[in-house]
Amino acid sequence: MTITENKTPISIELVIAGRLDTGTAPELEVKLKEVAPQTQTLYLNMKDVQYISSSGLRVVLLAHKLMLPSGGKMIIKQPSSFCKQVLVATGMDSILSIEG
C-alpha cells in the first residue's frame, strides 16, 4: 500500500493505493492520527485500492470518528468498484460521505 498526501489550505487528501488489510491498516491509522487535527476536511481517495478487509474498514471508520470532535468531515473520494461493493455490503455507505 502507498499513501500520497495532497494538502490545500482547507483540506488534506490521502491517496491510497494497493491493499488495505491487516498488514497495511496500521500504517494508514498512524497517518490519519497525524493529519486529522490539521484539517477540517479529510479526503480518502480510494480509486486505486484493490482490496479492503475488515481491518481496513475499521481504519476508514476511525478516520470518520477522528474528524467529528472538531466539527470536521471525512469524505471517501472515488472508491474503486471493490471498495464500493464492500461499503454497500457492510452498510457503511449510509454512515460515511462518499463522492464518485
Side-chain angles (χ1 to χ4, degrees), residues 82-97:
F82 183 83
C83 285
K84 196 176 281 190
Q85 287 175 351
V86 171
L87 292 168
V88 170
T90 58
M92 288 181 68
D93 63 322
S94 63
I95 299 169
L96 305 173
S97 297

Side-chain angles (χ1 to χ4, degrees), residues 12-74:
I12 295 176
E13 177 184 33
L14 297 180
V15 181
I16 305 161
R19 295 174 58 89
L20 184 49
D21 56 23
T22 306
T24 59
E27 180 185 347
L28 179 57
E29 184 172 344
V30 167
K31 188 69 172 173
L32 290 169
K33 288 179 178 176
E34 174 189 318
V35 301
Q38 301 174 22
T39 189
Q40 282 293 303
T41 305
L42 173 64
Y43 291 96
L44 295 184
N45 187 319
M46 301 179 75
K47 67 182 171 81
D48 294 323
V49 174
Q50 301 151 349
Y51 175 80
I52 186 167
S53 70
S54 59
S55 296
L57 287 173
R58 181 191 64 78
V59 175
V60 170
L61 193 57
L62 173 68
H64 173 70
K65 289 180 178 179
L66 286 171
M67 297 306 294
L68 293 177
S70 65
K73 60 185 172 181
M74 186 275 296

